[in-house]
Every structure is written in C-alpha cells, then in structure tokens.
Amino acid sequence: MRLHDEAIVGAARGRHDLKEVAMEIPRDDLVAMYATMAKIRYFEERIREIYYEDKLPAFDIAAGPIPGEMHLAAGQEPVAVGVMPHLRPGDAITATHRPHHVAIAQGVDLGRMAAEIFGKDTGLGHGKGGHMHLFSVEPSFGCSGIIGEGMPVACGAALAFKRQGKDNVAISFFGEGAANQGAFHESLNLAALWNLPVVFICEDNGWAISVPKHASTAIADNSDRASAYGMPGVLVPDNDPIGVYEAAGAAIRRAREGRGPSLIEVRTLRLWGHFEGDADAYRSEEYKQEMAEHDPMVTYPERLIAEGVATPAEIDALTKAAHEEVDEAIEFARSSPYPAPEDALRHVFA
Amino acid sequence: MRLHDEAIVGAARGRHDLKEVAMEIPRDDLVAMYATMAKIRYFEERIREIYYEDKLPAFDIAAGPIPGEMHLAAGQEPVAVGVMPHLRPGDAITATHRPHHVAIAQGVDLGRMAAEIFGKDTGLGHGKGGHMHLFSVEPSFGCSGIIGEGMPVACGAALAFKRQGKDNVAISFFGEGAANQGAFHESLNLAALWNLPVVFICEDNGWAISVPKHASTAIADNSDRASAYGMPGVLVPDNDPIGVYEAAGAAIRRAREGRGPSLIEVRTLRLWGHFEGDADAYRSEEYKQEMAEHDPMVTYPERLIAEGVATPAEIDALTKAAHEEVDEAIEFARSSPYPAPEDALRHVFA
Amino acid sequence: MTATMTERKLTMQKAIAEAIRQEMERDESVFVMGEDVGVYGGIFGATEGLLDRFGPDRVIDTPISETAFIGAAVGAAIHGMRPIAELMFVDFFGVCMDQIYNNMAKIHYFSGGAVKVPMVLTTAVGGGYSDAGQHSQTLWGTFAHLPGMKVVVPSSAYDAKGLMISAIRDDNPVVYMFHKGALGLGWMTHNPHATGPVPEEPYAVPIGKAEVVREGTDVTVVTIGLSVHRAIDAAETLDAEGISVEVLDLRSLVPLDREAIVESVKKTHRLLVVDEDYRSFGMTGEVITTAIEGAFDFLDAPPIRIAEPDVPIPYSRPLERFVLPGVDDIVAGVRGLVAA
Amino acid sequence: MTATMTERKLTMQKAIAEAIRQEMERDESVFVMGEDVGVYGGIFGATEGLLDRFGPDRVIDTPISETAFIGAAVGAAIHGMRPIAELMFVDFFGVCMDQIYNNMAKIHYFSGGAVKVPMVLTTAVGGGYSDAGQHSQTLWGTFAHLPGMKVVVPSSAYDAKGLMISAIRDDNPVVYMFHKGALGLGWMTHNPHATGPVPEEPYAVPIGKAEVVREGTDVTVVTIGLSVHRAIDAAETLDAEGISVEVLDLRSLVPLDREAIVESVKKTHRLLVVDEDYRSFGMTGEVITTAIEGAFDFLDAPPIRIAEPDVPIPYSRPLERFVLPGVDDIVAGVRGLVAA
Ligand SMILES: Cc1ncc(C[n+]2csc(CCOP(=O)(O)OP(=O)(O)O)c2C)c(N)n1
Ligand SMILES: Cc1ncc(C[n+]2csc(CCOP(=O)(O)OP(=O)(O)O)c2C)c(N)n1
Ligand SMILES: [Mg+2]
Ligand SMILES: [Mg+2]
C-alpha cells in the first residue's frame, strides 16, 4: 500500500546495514537519537492529552489549559533527531507550525517551551507567541505559523554567519506543502547563489492538511528540485533516523566547510490529524493502520535491539528518563502563573 | 566575448538550415516575422524619440508628451514575433513592464496602444494605465509593472479555457530576472499540476536593470528549471526568430492538444538601457558594440535575403509599410485628446 | 432584513456554503478554489458539501501557492469565469497581496473599464480562541484602504447568504470576510448569535448598505463582524440602566455607508466605534472622521473608539482577552460617553 | 532643526546615502542589500557610492526575490547584523508583505522581547511623474496600521540624514520611506525644497517626534513627506491673504506624535490634514480622530482632509494631477476652513 504516492514507506528499511553504519555512526548518537525521539513522542502525547482537557465532549478549540490550534509531530521524530547530532552551539534553526519535535531535538528549554504552549509568563515568549511562535535565543530556534516563512530567515542567519566568519550553519525545516510556496524557490536560489551555509530539510509527510502531495506537487520528489538551483538534493525515503543522520551530516559538513546549501527531503509520517480536533476523515483506516505499523517509535528501537546496539533494558531506561524530563517540564508549565493581562501591551518595541 | 555568461550570442546562428526549415516554416511566416519586427523596432524608436521631447537638456522624467518610466524592447523582437504566427483568436497573453513588442506582435490595436502610452482618452485604458498597464480584450493582452505578476494570471486564463472546453492557450512572457520571483515557481507548479495550456516564455536578456543574470540566478539556464515541474524546458540560445518559432510552435501545439505547459527560454538582447534615461553605465562600450553587431534587425533580414527567402526590395517594402502603420498610430495618439481630469474617478468599479 | 422570513435557521457557515452552492447551480461559470476546499469542505466549512455536489473540476484543492491560485482566479475571472478563491486566514495576505491589491483590484481601472474581474476572495478573520498573531487578525482596514475591491463582513447568517450571493454576482472583485467566531462552527465556543433565520431561496443583500440592527436614541455604536454581537449584548445590559443604544452594523467597509453613520449620529449625538482590527490607521478613525465630516455640529461629546491596541494579537488567553474588544469594554465606553 | 547648522547643503538623496555610509563606517554589522543597490547605487540613489567604498560583501545586489532577501534581512538582524534592505518601490510590498508585517514586525513580540530585529527597510514612495498605479503609491497608511514596525518619512535633507541614522541605530525594525519627489534627483522635476543644510557629522533625529516646520495661528495643516512642501507653499500664498497657517510635519507615523497634533490644534482651532496616500482608512482619519480625542472642544470647525480619492493612481498627467494633493487644493481647503 502506498502511503506516499510514489514510494512504499518502509521499502527501504533495510537500506542501512546497521553493523556497517555503526562503524561510521557513534553508538552514542544512535542511542541518543532514540532518547530524543522518546522525549518528543511523550511530549506530544502529553500535550495532546492536556489539550483535550475541558474541551470535550463538544470540542471547543478555545477552551482548556492549552487553547488554539495544535499541530503535533508524532511520526516525524526521525527528521528532527537525525539532524540534531550534527549541530553545534550557535547554529540556527527555523521550523514550522509543527515545531515541537525540532525544538526538542535542538535542545530548546523544555520547561519554558511547555510554559509557552500553556500561555504562561514563564514561557519562551511570556505567553505572547504560543505553540506556533516559539523563539529561543540559545539555542537559536524560531518557528512560525505561515507556510514557508522561515526559509528566508534561515538564509539570513546563514548570511550573518558567513559575514561574521563563523562556521555555523542554519537549518530550515519545512513541509512538502511548503515546497510549493514562492518562498521556497526564492530562498533556495538565494542560498545557492550566495553559497550560504544553509540546509533545507523538507519534512514530506505526504499531506498538507487534507491535500495529498500528488494534488499539490507537479513532480514526485522535491529533492529533485535542488537541480533548479544547482545544489545537491537528497531523498531519505524511509523515515529512518539513520538515513536522516547520514544525509544531514553530509549536508551540514558541506555547509560548514563553505561549500554551500543542500536540500534534503525526508519521507516521514504524520501519524495524527493535521491539528488536534481534525477528524482526519480524508485518510482511510487502512492508511492509518499501515502508518501505525511503520511508527518509528516502534521500528527504530526494535532495530537498535535487533542489531545489538542497545538492550531492551537500556531502551526502557532511556524511555523512562525521557518521560521524567517531559513530566517535569509540563509540571513547570502547569504550575507557572499567567502573564498579567496588561502585559499584552509590552514587547511591541524594544 | 560573452554577452550572456554561459553562451556566446550568435554562436548558434547557423543552427537552423533555412533551406530545410523553409520546408516546415511557411515563407509567409518568415516574412511576416520580419514585417512585425520592423513594426516593433520602429515603434520603439519613435516612442524613444518622442519620449525625450521636452525632457532635455536636464532630463526630467515627468516632462514631455510621454512621461514616466519607459522600458523599450529593441533587440527582443525575435521573442515576440516567433510566438505570434502560432496564435489563434481567443488566445491570451500576459507580458511585463517591457510589453510593446509582445503587444504589437499579438496584434493589439496599435493606435489605441500608442494613445495609451501618450495618456490619451482614446488609449486602451483611457489614459489610466499607461505604458506598463496595457490591456486589450480582443486580442486578449495584459501586462503589468510588477515582476512575475502576469504568470499566475496566465494560468488562470488557461484554466478558464480548459474549463470552457476551448483549445485556446495562454502565453506568459517574463524576464530572466522574474524567474527568481516566487510567482514563477508557484505558477509553473500549478500549470504542470493542473496540466494547463500555458506556455511560459522567459525573455533572457541577461540583465535585470543593472544586475547581470549570474548575480541573480544560481544556475545557467532557466529552461533547466522546467524539470522541477515535470514540464519540457527548451532553450533558444541565439535570439533567433526561427528558433523561437520552432520552440513556441511545438509548445503551443502541445498546450492546445491538452498535453500541458512548457517553458521556453530565449537568450535575447536588451539593446538599450533598462528604461529610457538609464545611463547604462554598468555595461561596457565593448559589450554594447557586440550587441549592436548581433542586432536581429540587421541579422534576420540579411539571412532572409542571403537564403533567398526575400529580396532586398521586398524587405524595403515591408519596412516602409511597417513605418507607415506606426506613424499613423503615433499620429492618432498625438492628436487625440486627453481625458478630462475628473475621469480619474471613473472605472474603479464596474 | 427585508426579504421574506422563514422559520428555517442556519448557522452562518451553513448559510455561506448554501449561497455558494445555489450560485454554482445557477451559473456554470462559478467555481471554487483554495486550500482544503475539497474533501475537507474548507477549514471553516465555507465549501462544505460542494465537492460531492460539483466534483473536483469546480471545487479545486490547491497547493499552498496563494500567489498562483489567487492570480489564477484573476485570470479566470478575466476570461469569463466567476471564481471564488479562498485565502484560508486573512493573516496570510502577505504572501499574495500583490495579486490582490495590485492586480485583482486594479486591472479594471487600468483598462479604463474594458476588463472586468468578477471574483470573490473569501477569507476567515478574527481571534478570540488563542490562535496568536498570525491567525487571529481581522485586517479589514488594510483591505479597505486599498482601492478597487469591495470589502464585506457579514455578522448574521441571513446577511452571510445574501452578501455572498451579491458578491458572486458582482462584476467587481469582492473580498468576503467571515469572522470565525460568528460562523457557528461546532468546534468554536458556542455563539448563539451565529444561528439565524435564512430563507431557502437565493436572495441578495446589497453590498454597501449598513443596517441598524438595534434602534436606540442615546448612543450610536458603529461596528462590524463579530463585534456587532458584542455591541448588541452590551446594549441589552445598558438598556437595563436606561441607556438606549443604537447599533449600526456596517456590513461592508467598501463601499462604506457613510450616510447611515451620519444619520444615526445625527439622531443619537454620541458615537462609539468598536473594531477588532488594529486601532490606528484603520476603521475606527475612518468612521469617526466620517461622523465629523457629516455631523460635527450634532455631536454632544467627542466620539470614542474601542479597538485592538496596536499590538500583535497575543496567544495567552488573559493577554488576548485584554486586547480584543469585549462586551464589558463596550458597556464601559458607552457609560463614559453618556456621562461626558 | 535643533542640531548645529552648517552651510553645507545636500539633496535628500545625498543625505540618505551619507547617513548610510557613516553608519557603515561606524558599525561593521551594518550592510545593505536590495535590487540595484550596488553598481547602480540604488534606483533612487540611496546607496550611491557605497559599493565602491565597502565592496560587494556589504553592498549586495539581490535577485528579484523580495520575500527571500527581506526575510534574509530579518534572519541576519536576529543574528547580530544591522541590515538595510531596500524594497525598490513601496508598491511592490505585496510580493513580500508577509516577511515584513508578520515576521519582521512580530518576532520581537512573539519572543516576549527575547529576540531583537534591528533592521531598516528602505523604500521609495510617491507619484507625480506619471508612473501609474503600481509605482506611485505612498501606502504608509498600510504600514502604519500594522503593529511592530516604526514608520518614518522625512521631508527634508536634514531629517533624512538624522532619521536614517536613528533608524539604523534603532533596535526595532524601521520602515524608512523616501518620497521620490523630495529626493532632489537630477532626473525628477526640480524641487527646491529637496536641498537643505546638512551637517557633515553624524547626528540623530528622534523617531516619533513631529516638527512644526512653519508656525501659524489660524489653521493647522498636518501632513508628511512631499506634501509638507506643498503645505509650506500653500501657507506662503495664504499668508499674503492674511491667513496664518501652521504646518506640522509628522516625520513618523509610528510612533505617531499625537501630542504635537493636539497641541497645534489647541492653538489654531482648525485642522486640515493632507495626505498623498489613499483617503479612506488611512492617515487622514487617524490624525483627525487624534485631534477629536485630544482637542474636541477646541475645534471651531470640523477638520477636513485632502487626500488621494480612493482610486488607483492613474497614469495620464491630467488624471494624476487631479488625484494628487496640490498646493491649490490646500489653499482652497484652508480658505474653506477659515470661512467655516
Ligand atoms: C501561507 C500560508 N498558507 C496556508 C496556511 C495554512 N496551513 C497551515 S499548515 C498547512 C499545511 C502545511 O503542509 P506542510 O507544509 O506539508 O506541513 P505539515 O502540516 O504537513 O507539517 C496549511 C495549508 C499557512 N499557515 N500559511
Ligand atoms: C516585484 C518587483 N520587484 C522589483 C521591480 C523593479 N523592477 C522593474 S523591472 C526590473 C528588472 C526586471 O528584469 P527582467 O525580469 O529580467 O526583465 P527585463 O527588464 O530585463 O525585461 C526590476 C527589478 C518590480 N517592478 N517588481
Ligand atoms: Mg506535509
Ligand atoms: Mg532581463
């Protein structure tokens, strides 16, 4: 069954011989990727759970401890965690309306991030930004509610790094839907033209809300669009953290060395609805069932265990530690105070 | 010497064996293309001449019978005339801030077009639009002052034709500078995705005002960007009316037959400054000299004569007829009345 | 509400979808495009049921390419169609405004009247449910400032249907804004005002006519969109205090029914303007200036305004509540005005 | 004009270029990007001479990709630079407004003050030379309506330099609009007001302070940009008739110097607002409302406004003259106001 129009998800699962890869990829990274995936998934699960508090039975988007739209990234963990081990202090990331997995992988303060999602004064933006507008200075993270908006910003960060003589890189995450927004084209051309240290990472989950990729994109692979800018384009076809690790590693190295931008497309899975509350009626039960079978939170630790990289006990311990960290962050968020109403007037200007 | 960064202009001049081509291209078309080129060039010359009336010695853009910006297309005639013979009634064209050659080739009423440029009440838009905003209903022509603005509109015209069961096509002209505007990407994707009868024609004159193509475009040929949309991309490297004729003929046929959009890039020459009054100091005298040597108004008729397609006397007669038609249009424009000032308030709403 | 009344009640969302459906049935040239307008039925339900009824040739899901598809609507409109293009949230206008304000809105003028652009741009506006600063704006002031497009904002289900029908039939580009909080969506906080009587048969509500939705004698409250409901609720409260409030629902900003504003102010001598858009350089200043131009000598007190205080809409509930006009704000404003 | 005077005179265009040069010399983090800012020196000369002085790493010609390069300015500003990005004509805002109003202007707020975006967006505004409706607008009302960015519009060479220096040093995004007709360009109709004394040394003119450029007692004319010159010319004419006109140059719309407006109106009791932007939902309404809010009881007559009458700017000379505010219009307006 085809989850993506042109590739069977999981078909390339065997592509990486872990034994061989293990020689290149430090075991620590393989394990750390799992630990971060566990943190992400549990965070998303907790947020989801809390999101529905006081919103039901008749779903009211404005009610509950976490109101507003909520775009969760369950299934897309591999994209974020495969990039993370290659980052250095000072690197910049721009992400999308579905930002949690990336922010968590980059190491954005989990408590302040959760607090922002709860609209609390201890949040990253003192409650002004919310889930789609998480901004962190160290590490440098930003996201936005407008499709494609972060791509030019990443170019600018990269331009600053270049001008400042730093070997930092900027990473821009965006969905396959965003790849049809003008900003994609302009940004990739600019990055290639100016040889900027940017890596563009397309999270192809096959869907832009209810619109499947084949109804939005004239060709099968956005990675093929890299040739329109003379930059390398790489496809990671199987939502595999290791595939992302390899592709991102090469692209980030390239960027750090002053050899310019790259485009990586990762076929990933949006396990849940576009946003919470989405009935997800445009995807069949069969489709959802097959997605569940390819859930990276199942398949990746299985592989680690099967290939002898980690023991079940290690995996359990990592999972538990991840949960504890998330629970603590959520507890911090919950117990934090709301900003004072009139604080709404602050921070328009510096 | 390289006028375009990656191709020597005129290098491919011998590419078309006229004798052979003559079997495919009706002689009438070859000759008509010349006649239209003559009309365009003379029109641009006359406008240029009149444009400077009362503006000198100290150039004042607001003065004279034709005020405002003026972008002339001398040198780009081949792009327009190569497309024209393939058009049918009902086809739609969108052009740019440099629109005259295309409008003339399509057969837009020359007198009303000139009158619009003079700001007269008899103009296509009763003086409201001016040189960058020429709109004609039959033939369907539009242009605009915003880079890339016409490309989505052409997609929409094509969508209408498709829905109405017509075999009409829409042609969108744009500069190589415009190919880095988001609208390019979005339009080409949309056209390919919906299999629309559109032909995108990139007039690559190598310059966006003072910015050379290599400083704006990450790759050499915009025609190569067609692959990012799964559509055919064709390069006409030599500003050759016959090359354009062939490429446009194939693309338009394809579109009419419901086989979807194409992208054609034509290396052409902007013989004059970006706009009148432009000192054109960013291009060397040597460069300008070489451009003059490749002036299609010289090379094309020479070829027609050399290959026995037309006699010098025929060429002269065509030139004379073209001049007469233009003179008449300009005379009509000059002698027409201005709109009444308060007419400015009309036509905001239908 | 002048057309025949019927007992059938609809939410504003259903009224919009019905209007589009009826016009599509009547006129082959009407079609819809936008993100998620097909199987999803529009994120705010404006195209609910249309895909099933008319198929994918007339109800077209688009890529996230607002410049391309809104520009394509312009091109299609020029060539004999009557497209309805949906910009999912008005907040996204920044990626496609050129096609809207410089192209859609100006071609008719540039062509000296020769070319018509009969299209509707639908878009969702408004906050109040913690969607933060890129998904909660109304921005109608921005659209109304730029000439060449009509701008309508219904506040009732009845008007929603009638104005949509007028918009589709209009030979000009019409920006049709629906306030998310007034649609009566199942997943938004219940709004009793969102449901109202809507005749089955097609009818047109004229664009450019304001409506006195509540008569009063002491103060005129001029507003639009969801704030009409807020104003009515405030008026009920004030009634109990013996203050009689007239509520004028502008219904469209372009054309702006200046006569209706002036007339009401001449009657009540006091004006409060309520706006969910940013305060400065927007609707409140325009309405107050209109009153000054037309009824200066009738004013017993300087007009006042309640609007979003020129800050991006914040996410957190207490912050957002603080910046959006509330019923209490209107009550307090009217009290102050009467005391002045 | 409070800083030390010098006899050296510059056009506004030279004053802008000098300000940028001096700031680039002072601060390595300042750089310029935009279309034709390099060898061409900016279509309106704002970056004249900078490429030679600073080279292509700090004076960067861009593709025609406003979304990308203005967004890149945002990214660079966040990361320690102070970019100046030029949007060649303000009319082009529609292709890149999202980066401007939703990103540049809001990140500081969304981040709760953590992230700063110190950048300047320069752009040319205004008509009067038959460049038609996509190259002649001022649109400052559109920018001023949307929160999070400062909006400045100098009318003199002195202010142009001082405001540019303030804009570059400001930790906030500043939209810096220069009116083509006020720049003193060789190829524009000669404007004697465009040239004025400009000190050599760097100095800052504060953003948010209006200036009384001509004192008067009978009528206040509030305006901005090129219309300041029109108002001064009108005032001279009216002087001869015994009407004393005070001209207030707002100099910035955000922040708006409301005190200055109110103060002047309290003195003269009569207000005329002149604006080259579209009339409705813009600056004129905001200024008049500000006067109403602050000086209602001082007004002897309803304030009036002269502005572009809500039509796209037409191309043809007589048409454009008709829609743009002229000296004669101001003279007539003031006469009417005094007679009222
Ligand atoms: C410019 C713009 N257009 C439309 C939207 C509405 N919208 C939000 S998310 C989304 C789908 C995005 O799809 P994709 O880029 O694939 O990301 P995903 O949601 O799959 O992570 C859309 C259309 C928006 N936020 N911005
Ligand atoms: C969106 C936008 N950005 C910038 C401009 C200013 N501008 C007018 S023409 C031009 C150069 C266009 O270059 P190209 O597309 O190659 O066309 P050419 O002038 O060479 O015919 C520029 C930058 C504009 N009109 N619109
Ligand atoms: Mg997606
Ligand atoms: Mg060019």
Side-chain angles (χ1 to χ4, degrees), chain C residues 2-23:
Chain C
T2 45
T4 337
M5 280 292 102
T6 146
E7 275 320 289
R8 189 183 68 141
K9 292 196 172 183
L10 290 184
T11 61
M12 187 191 285
Q13 174 256 316
K14 303 259 183 233
I16 293 171
E18 177 171 286
I20 298 176
R21 177 174 59 69
Q22 290 179 340
E23 286 302 290

mmCIF file of all heavy atoms in Angstrom, chain C residues 2-23:
data_model
loop_
_atom_site.group_PDB
_atom_site.id
_atom_site.type_symbol
_atom_site.label_atom_id
_atom_site.label_comp_id
_atom_site.label_asym_id
_atom_site.label_seq_id
_atom_site.Cartn_x
_atom_site.Cartn_y
_atom_site.Cartn_z
ATOM 1 N N THR C 2 -34.935 42.451 4.991
ATOM 2 C CA THR C 2 -36.128 42.850 4.258
ATOM 3 C C THR C 2 -36.777 41.701 3.495
ATOM 4 O O THR C 2 -37.970 41.743 3.241
ATOM 5 C CB THR C 2 -35.767 43.968 3.268
ATOM 6 O OG1 THR C 2 -34.564 43.603 2.600
ATOM 7 C CG2 THR C 2 -35.566 45.276 3.982
ATOM 8 N N ALA C 3 -35.993 40.678 3.159
ATOM 9 C CA ALA C 3 -36.566 39.589 2.366
ATOM 10 C C ALA C 3 -37.531 38.762 3.229
ATOM 11 O O ALA C 3 -37.596 38.908 4.436
ATOM 12 C CB ALA C 3 -35.463 38.700 1.808
ATOM 13 N N THR C 4 -38.261 37.927 2.575
ATOM 14 C CA THR C 4 -39.229 37.075 3.267
ATOM 15 C C THR C 4 -38.558 36.277 4.390
ATOM 16 O O THR C 4 -37.525 35.696 4.203
ATOM 17 C CB THR C 4 -39.811 36.020 2.281
ATOM 18 O OG1 THR C 4 -39.660 36.506 0.963
ATOM 19 C CG2 THR C 4 -41.239 35.690 2.637
ATOM 20 N N MET C 5 -39.188 36.258 5.508
ATOM 21 C CA MET C 5 -38.624 35.494 6.624
ATOM 22 C C MET C 5 -39.111 34.063 6.553
ATOM 23 O O MET C 5 -40.173 33.762 6.035
ATOM 24 C CB MET C 5 -39.073 36.109 7.963
ATOM 25 C CG MET C 5 -38.279 37.325 8.366
ATOM 26 S SD MET C 5 -36.559 36.937 8.777
ATOM 27 C CE MET C 5 -35.752 37.473 7.278
ATOM 28 N N THR C 6 -38.327 33.198 7.069
ATOM 29 C CA THR C 6 -38.769 31.813 7.162
ATOM 30 C C THR C 6 -38.322 31.309 8.510
ATOM 31 O O THR C 6 -37.439 31.863 9.137
ATOM 32 C CB THR C 6 -38.156 30.940 6.042
ATOM 33 O OG1 THR C 6 -37.916 29.627 6.551
ATOM 34 C CG2 THR C 6 -36.841 31.503 5.575
ATOM 35 N N GLU C 7 -38.888 30.266 8.927
ATOM 36 C CA GLU C 7 -38.529 29.773 10.249
ATOM 37 C C GLU C 7 -37.231 28.956 10.231
ATOM 38 O O GLU C 7 -36.672 28.676 11.262
ATOM 39 C CB GLU C 7 -39.674 28.983 10.876
ATOM 40 C CG GLU C 7 -40.645 29.918 11.576
ATOM 41 C CD GLU C 7 -39.944 31.043 12.322
ATOM 42 O OE1 GLU C 7 -39.318 30.771 13.355
ATOM 43 O OE2 GLU C 7 -40.006 32.219 11.873
ATOM 44 N N ARG C 8 -36.803 28.569 9.020
ATOM 45 C CA ARG C 8 -35.589 27.758 8.963
ATOM 46 C C ARG C 8 -34.401 28.540 9.513
ATOM 47 O O ARG C 8 -34.148 29.668 9.129
ATOM 48 C CB ARG C 8 -35.300 27.364 7.511
ATOM 49 C CG ARG C 8 -34.193 26.346 7.383
ATOM 50 C CD ARG C 8 -33.894 26.042 5.934
ATOM 51 N NE ARG C 8 -33.308 27.209 5.269
ATOM 52 C CZ ARG C 8 -32.326 27.137 4.373
ATOM 53 N NH1 ARG C 8 -31.849 25.965 3.997
ATOM 54 N NH2 ARG C 8 -31.864 28.228 3.820
ATOM 55 N N LYS C 9 -33.652 27.918 10.390
ATOM 56 C CA LYS C 9 -32.480 28.604 10.922
ATOM 57 C C LYS C 9 -31.215 27.882 10.496
ATOM 58 O O LYS C 9 -31.174 26.654 10.435
ATOM 59 C CB LYS C 9 -32.548 28.650 12.455
ATOM 60 C CG LYS C 9 -33.680 29.539 12.939
ATOM 61 C CD LYS C 9 -33.525 29.896 14.400
ATOM 62 C CE LYS C 9 -34.569 30.949 14.775
ATOM 63 N NZ LYS C 9 -34.419 31.396 16.157
ATOM 64 N N LEU C 10 -30.199 28.678 10.178
ATOM 65 C CA LEU C 10 -28.908 28.118 9.797
ATOM 66 C C LEU C 10 -27.808 28.846 10.562
ATOM 67 O O LEU C 10 -27.976 29.996 10.966
ATOM 68 C CB LEU C 10 -28.640 28.321 8.299
ATOM 69 C CG LEU C 10 -29.432 27.553 7.252
ATOM 70 C CD1 LEU C 10 -28.892 27.867 5.864
ATOM 71 C CD2 LEU C 10 -29.354 26.050 7.515
ATOM 72 N N THR C 11 -26.695 28.168 10.693
ATOM 73 C CA THR C 11 -25.510 28.897 11.147
ATOM 74 C C THR C 11 -24.991 29.731 9.976
ATOM 75 O O THR C 11 -25.315 29.476 8.807
ATOM 76 C CB THR C 11 -24.389 27.946 11.583
ATOM 77 O OG1 THR C 11 -24.009 27.154 10.459
ATOM 78 C CG2 THR C 11 -24.823 27.055 12.735
ATOM 79 N N MET C 12 -24.158 30.689 10.300
ATOM 80 C CA MET C 12 -23.549 31.489 9.236
ATOM 81 C C MET C 12 -22.734 30.607 8.294
ATOM 82 O O MET C 12 -22.737 30.794 7.084
ATOM 83 C CB MET C 12 -22.669 32.591 9.832
ATOM 84 C CG MET C 12 -22.171 33.535 8.761
ATOM 85 S SD MET C 12 -20.893 34.667 9.333
ATOM 86 C CE MET C 12 -21.835 35.790 10.280
ATOM 87 N N GLN C 13 -22.060 29.649 8.844
ATOM 88 C CA GLN C 13 -21.245 28.759 7.996
ATOM 89 C C GLN C 13 -22.114 28.028 6.975
ATOM 90 O O GLN C 13 -21.794 27.986 5.791
ATOM 91 C CB GLN C 13 -20.481 27.765 8.886
ATOM 92 C CG GLN C 13 -19.709 26.702 8.124
ATOM 93 C CD GLN C 13 -20.404 25.358 8.149
ATOM 94 O OE1 GLN C 13 -20.898 24.912 9.181
ATOM 95 N NE2 GLN C 13 -20.433 24.696 7.002
ATOM 96 N N LYS C 14 -23.217 27.482 7.431
ATOM 97 C CA LYS C 14 -24.102 26.766 6.502
ATOM 98 C C LYS C 14 -24.728 27.729 5.489
ATOM 99 O O LYS C 14 -24.942 27.379 4.327
ATOM 100 C CB LYS C 14 -25.218 26.058 7.274
ATOM 101 C CG LYS C 14 -24.733 25.076 8.329
ATOM 102 C CD LYS C 14 -24.819 23.651 7.860
ATOM 103 C CE LYS C 14 -24.402 22.684 8.977
ATOM 104 N NZ LYS C 14 -23.366 21.759 8.550
ATOM 105 N N ALA C 15 -24.970 28.923 5.941
ATOM 106 C CA ALA C 15 -25.576 29.918 5.045
ATOM 107 C C ALA C 15 -24.606 30.281 3.913
ATOM 108 O O ALA C 15 -25.012 30.438 2.755
ATOM 109 C CB ALA C 15 -25.963 31.166 5.838
ATOM 110 N N ILE C 16 -23.348 30.380 4.262
ATOM 111 C CA ILE C 16 -22.342 30.681 3.235
ATOM 112 C C ILE C 16 -22.246 29.532 2.235
ATOM 113 O O ILE C 16 -22.283 29.732 1.016
ATOM 114 C CB ILE C 16 -20.974 30.946 3.895
ATOM 115 C CG1 ILE C 16 -21.008 32.238 4.719
ATOM 116 C CG2 ILE C 16 -19.866 31.010 2.831
ATOM 117 C CD1 ILE C 16 -19.761 32.455 5.584
ATOM 118 N N ALA C 17 -22.117 28.334 2.761
ATOM 119 C CA ALA C 17 -21.988 27.171 1.869
ATOM 120 C C ALA C 17 -23.219 27.043 0.975
ATOM 121 O O ALA C 17 -23.110 26.702 -0.212
ATOM 122 C CB ALA C 17 -21.771 25.904 2.697
ATOM 123 N N GLU C 18 -24.390 27.335 1.538
ATOM 124 C CA GLU C 18 -25.611 27.248 0.733
ATOM 125 C C GLU C 18 -25.628 28.293 -0.381
ATOM 126 O O GLU C 18 -26.002 28.002 -1.521
ATOM 127 C CB GLU C 18 -26.839 27.423 1.631
ATOM 128 C CG GLU C 18 -28.146 27.423 0.864
ATOM 129 C CD GLU C 18 -29.351 27.374 1.791
ATOM 130 O OE1 GLU C 18 -29.612 26.290 2.365
ATOM 131 O OE2 GLU C 18 -30.037 28.411 1.951
ATOM 132 N N ALA C 19 -25.202 29.480 -0.043
ATOM 133 C CA ALA C 19 -25.170 30.543 -1.063
ATOM 134 C C ALA C 19 -24.260 30.141 -2.218
ATOM 135 O O ALA C 19 -24.610 30.302 -3.392
ATOM 136 C CB ALA C 19 -24.693 31.853 -0.436
ATOM 137 N N ILE C 20 -23.102 29.633 -1.888
ATOM 138 C CA ILE C 20 -22.168 29.235 -2.956
ATOM 139 C C ILE C 20 -22.783 28.104 -3.780
ATOM 140 O O ILE C 20 -22.745 28.121 -5.010
ATOM 141 C CB ILE C 20 -20.800 28.825 -2.358
ATOM 142 C CG1 ILE C 20 -20.161 30.007 -1.619
ATOM 143 C CG2 ILE C 20 -19.873 28.320 -3.465
ATOM 144 C CD1 ILE C 20 -18.848 29.666 -0.924
ATOM 145 N N ARG C 21 -23.370 27.151 -3.085
ATOM 146 C CA ARG C 21 -23.966 26.025 -3.805
ATOM 147 C C ARG C 21 -25.059 26.500 -4.760
ATOM 148 O O ARG C 21 -25.092 26.122 -5.933
ATOM 149 C CB ARG C 21 -24.553 25.016 -2.810
ATOM 150 C CG ARG C 21 -25.253 23.839 -3.501
ATOM 151 C CD ARG C 21 -25.707 22.756 -2.548
ATOM 152 N NE ARG C 21 -26.642 23.185 -1.521
ATOM 153 C CZ ARG C 21 -27.910 23.556 -1.733
ATOM 154 N NH1 ARG C 21 -28.415 23.533 -2.957
ATOM 155 N NH2 ARG C 21 -28.671 23.948 -0.731
ATOM 156 N N GLN C 22 -25.909 27.367 -4.284
ATOM 157 C CA GLN C 22 -27.005 27.831 -5.140
ATOM 158 C C GLN C 22 -26.493 28.614 -6.337
ATOM 159 O O GLN C 22 -26.999 28.466 -7.451
ATOM 160 C CB GLN C 22 -27.991 28.672 -4.312
ATOM 161 C CG GLN C 22 -28.771 27.813 -3.319
ATOM 162 C CD GLN C 22 -29.736 28.618 -2.472
ATOM 163 O OE1 GLN C 22 -29.599 29.839 -2.347
ATOM 164 N NE2 GLN C 22 -30.704 27.942 -1.878
ATOM 165 N N GLU C 23 -25.480 29.417 -6.112
ATOM 166 C CA GLU C 23 -24.932 30.176 -7.240
ATOM 167 C C GLU C 23 -24.212 29.259 -8.224
ATOM 168 O O GLU C 23 -24.240 29.478 -9.437
ATOM 169 C CB GLU C 23 -23.989 31.279 -6.736
ATOM 170 C CG GLU C 23 -24.709 32.440 -6.100
ATOM 171 C CD GLU C 23 -25.712 33.101 -7.044
ATOM 172 O OE1 GLU C 23 -25.275 33.742 -8.017
ATOM 173 O OE2 GLU C 23 -26.928 32.957 -6.825
#
